[in-house]
Amino acid sequence: MTSLELGPVLRHVGTTTATIWVETSARCVVEVLGTSAPTFEVCGQHYALVVVEGLEPASCLPYEVRLDGELVWPLEGTGTPPSYLRTRAEADHTGRLRFVYGSCRYPPTDDPELEASLGIDALDAFATRLMDEVAAADDAASVLPDALCLLGDQVYADEITPRTERWIRENRDPDDPDGPGLEIADFGEYSHLYSESWSDRELRWLLSTVPTAMIFDDHDIRDDWNTSQAWRDEMAGKPWWPQRIRAGLASYWVYQHLGNLDPATRDADPLYRKVLEADGDVYDLLADFAARADAEVGQPTGVRWSYRWDLGRTRLLMVDTRCARVLNAQDRLMINDHSFAWIEESASDGEVDHLLIGSSIPWLMPPAVSHVQSLDEWAAARGSKLAETVRQAVDLEHWPAFRASFDRLADLIRGVASGPAAPATISVLSGDVHHSYAAEARWSSPTRSRVYQLTCSPVRNGVPWFMEYVFALGWWRGLTGALSRVSRAAGIGELPLDWTTIGGPWFGNAVSTLETSGRDARLRVERSGARGGLEAVAELPLT
């Protein structure tokens, strides 16, 4: 009998449609709520997307998964509530919406010492609480979040668990000088990572029930991915890198990207159509596509991994800040012109009450850190090898390290925030930096929208103890002022806006919830406690 290897994962949900992703043990037909889809094959693995259509807006239905007619989900004996499929309300909906977000989730391990150092998984703790709430509720829809936004580092291809290390040693020689050592090498090893990360009981149920939007960050591929042209040149010299980058982007396309897209966009994708029409393994198709996507880094156009979800009168723009980069010294951009034009168009398309911009890496860092990153970019562009070494050593690769793009995003947000149809709030949701904080932005001329940087990281990982002092120091006005004077002396333009922290920094494993209702918005930040539950560290009104 064919088995359900991974999933179901509830992905893009519209007012009348819902997309469910699965991985199966063999070729089969997958059925959900009377709708079926055949699997496609990648490196001997089998996947399907089932798009259920004709649903009622704002409805909430329990669902099952069948493979070739055999019931495989829900799993017996797990003690979890049913999985639900909840459609969106109509576009003019102004009722309550809840967005749960976070990033950087290191998977469960079988190493007690490592488990103790990583701490309680905040997303697992959130899922456990939600299961209890759903089981106790008369109406599951009343307690379910509207979206889960995973903002990068869903898997760690360069920092594997002890269990995966043993598995790799059983399957290949990690000491091969032409191989990646104890890092992920190919698509099959990536599929092992996703299985390791998404198989635990709590997370598997959560992903089956809450529509999940995802975007990659560096560890989904490798630390410092596309931080600079020097980094790309170094990686190009490694014999194992071409296979690794193809496998990384191909697996991201299968496990994350496909489900991000609405059905019309996905069906119009030539690659997706070729995959569905193919007879047999399609990895060569995906590897060719991945190679082109990687080669287009640095070009004015390229593959657009960014996407948009509209939920009532709240809009989510998930932005690729890794593969859309331009890394020429004379034209260094976080996002190429083609993709940025799409962001600008999507941000100003119609009226919304709240605009959310998902960026795996923060736009507004602690101000002193922002100045350091811009100064490092300035020095590296003038040939400083020390600046390039520091950039890679301490991850000086956030929006301020791409100063032209930082300013362009500031201009975009100010324009939307000042327009006649300005949202009540504009929030940049980010992760990556292994601590959480909320900051409010202000320009010299007041805007009609309130603008925020809302950062939540990690879901489950650590940060060196001294970084707590570094990040705290980054908000110190005295240091910020001194670095601002150095920046002006170097000829770097003034920052186009000011921002101050309204909460944090907080350290530890955390998830955050942004709740909107009409033109009101609130933020809740919760940290995993010593006993396994979640403890609220902040409740902040944003309007």
Side-chain angles (χ1 to χ4, degrees):
M1 174 180 162
T2 303
S3 61
L4 184 65
E5 296 292 286
L6 204 56
V9 183
L10 182 60
R11 301 304 314 277
H12 181 276
V13 173
T15 54
T16 61
T17 64
T19 301
I20 297 93
W21 177 97
V22 298
E23 179 182 346
T24 66
S25 63
R27 183 176 181 176
C28 64
V29 173
V30 183
E31 180 183 341
V32 178
L33 292 177
T35 300
S36 61
T39 57
F40 58 89
E41 182 178 353
V42 187
C43 293
Q45 314 285 120
H46 301 268
Y47 308 92
L49 285 175
V50 181
V51 181
V52 183
E53 300 178 317
L55 299 166
E56 290 292 325
S59 60
C60 184
L61 301 171
Y63 72 91
E64 301 173 336
V65 178
R66 296 178 183 273
L67 306 182
D68 289 336
E70 296 289 334
L71 181 66
V72 295
W73 185 269
L75 298 176
E76 293 185 5
T78 60
T80 61
S83 296
Y84 286 91
L85 189 160
R86 182 184 176 206
T87 55
R88 300 179 190 166
E90 298 287 1
D92 60 353
H93 175 69
T94 59
R96 186 180 70 167
L97 293 170
R98 284 181 294 165
F99 298 82
V100 179
Y101 67 96
S103 81
C104 308
R105 181 179 182 267
Y106 199 80
T109 79
D110 57 0
D111 184 319
E113 185 175 339
L114 180 57
E115 286 293 292
S117 69
L118 291 169
I120 302 298
D121 186 330
L123 202 57
D124 273 5
F126 179 86
T128 299
R129 186 179 69 191
L130 186 62
M131 283 192 287
D132 292 340
E133 292 171 346
V134 167
D138 294 329
D139 176 16
S142 65
V143 297
L144 289 174
D146 295 272
L148 170 63
C149 304
L150 299 180
L151 293 161
D153 295 346
Q154 274 69 263
V155 294
Y156 282 77
D158 53 345
E159 298 178 9
I160 61 173
T161 65
R163 179 171 49 226
T164 295
E165 177 180 340
R166 294 193 299 272
W167 181 81
I168 286 177
R169 291 186 182 280
E170 291 170 0
N171 288 278
R172 64 172 168 85
D173 179 10
D175 298 322
D176 181 352
D178 292 331
L182 289 171
E183 296 186 26
I184 296 306
D186 55 27
F187 187 93
E189 293 185 6
Y190 261 105
S191 68
H192 173 88
L193 279 193
Y194 280 102
S195 178
E196 182 179 54
S197 294
W198 291 359
S199 290
D200 65 277
R201 169 183 173 269
E202 295 80 9
L203 186 70
R204 192 171 185 180
W205 177 84
L206 182 69
L207 294 179
S208 75
T209 298
V210 181
T212 304
M214 307 181 190
I215 199 71
F216 44 41
D217 200 27
D218 56 342
H219 289 286
D220 291 86
I221 302 295
R222 197 174 199 259
D223 189 30
D224 297 334
W225 177 34
N226 287 340
T227 191
S228 64
Q229 188 59 46
W231 185 92
R232 284 179 62 82
D233 292 343
E234 178 186 352
M235 297 309 298
K238 298 183 183 296
W240 50 268
W241 179 247
Q243 177 175 262
R244 166 70 163 277
I245 188 62
R246 287 165 173 77
L249 290 176
S251 64
Y252 175 77
W253 189 88
V254 171
Y255 283 85
Q256 299 192 51
H257 179 65
L258 273 182
N260 290 330
L261 306 179
D262 64 86
T265 301
R266 186 169 52 245
D267 291 344
D269 183 347
L271 177 61
Y272 185 59
R273 292 201 302 270
K274 289 179 183 179
V275 165
L276 294 185
E277 294 165 359
D279 183 14
D281 200 296
V282 300
Y283 180 71
D284 287 346
L285 285 173
L286 299 184
D288 288 346
F289 164 78
R292 292 196 306 274
D294 179 57
E296 288 173 351
V297 173
Q299 304 301 314
T301 62
V303 173
R304 178 165 60 79
W305 301 98
S306 303
Y307 59 95
R308 163 179 162 179
W309 285 14
D310 284 347
L311 292 84
R313 290 183 57 82
T314 297
R315 176 171 300 154
L316 170 66
L317 301 180
M318 288 286 268
V319 176
D320 162 24
T321 57
R322 283 289 172 183
C323 210
R325 295 182 176 185
V326 177
L327 299 172
N328 307 315
Q330 67 275 17
D331 191 20
R332 182 177 155 84
L333 303 172
M334 178 71 78
I335 298 173
N336 63 49
D337 288 339
H338 173 70
S339 293
F340 216 118
W342 175 87
I343 297 168
E344 290 168 332
E345 178 183 355
S346 299
S348 57
D349 179 17
E351 296 185 13
V352 296
D353 290 329
H354 305 277
L355 175 62
L356 313 180
I357 301 174
S359 166
S360 64
I361 52 181
W363 170 49
L364 302 179
M365 299 284 288
V369 175
S370 292
H371 284 299
V372 169
Q373 297 212 13
S374 295
L375 283 164
D376 182 84
E377 179 190 37
W378 175 86
R382 284 154 180 78
S384 170
K385 293 183 179 179
L386 176 61
E388 180 61 41
T389 299
V390 172
R391 169 156 56 195
Q392 295 189 35
V394 295
D395 295 341
L396 302 183
E397 55 171 348
H398 302 90
W399 281 87
F402 294 78
R403 183 55 187 276
S405 295
F406 177 97
D407 291 354
R408 185 172 179 179
L409 183 58
D411 289 344
L412 163 62
I413 291 175
R414 182 185 60 182
V416 175
S418 303
T425 67
I426 301 175
S427 299
V428 179
L429 309 181
S430 302
D432 180 68
V433 291
H434 289 207
H435 71 290
S436 303
Y437 62 93
E440 184 168 8
R442 291 184 177 86
W443 284 261
S444 55
S445 300
T447 58
R448 302 178 66 186
S449 306
R450 299 185 72 171
V451 177
Y452 299 97
Q453 170 70 60
L454 306 177
T455 301
C456 184
S457 167
V459 166
R460 185 178 192 245
N461 214 311
V463 63
W465 64 268
F466 61 86
M467 292 305 296
E468 297 190 19
Y469 297 97
V470 171
F471 287 124
L473 190 63
W475 294 101
W476 182 37
R477 288 190 173 274
L479 180 59
T480 300
L483 289 169
S484 177
R485 291 189 291 274
V486 174
S487 295
R488 286 197 300 272
I492 301 172
E494 291 279 0
L495 289 167
L497 73 162
D498 294 317
W499 62 97
T500 55
T501 180
I502 61 170
W506 303 289
F507 294 88
N509 298 336
V511 292
S512 292
T513 302
L514 177 62
E515 183 174 305
T516 67
S517 181
R519 292 181 68 83
D520 293 331
R522 295 185 62 83
L523 174 70
R524 179 188 306 113
V525 181
E526 296 179 285
R527 194 164 50 194
S528 57
R531 297 182 180 179
L534 290 175
E535 301 170 350
V537 296
E539 291 267 3
L540 302 174
L542 302 181
T543 50

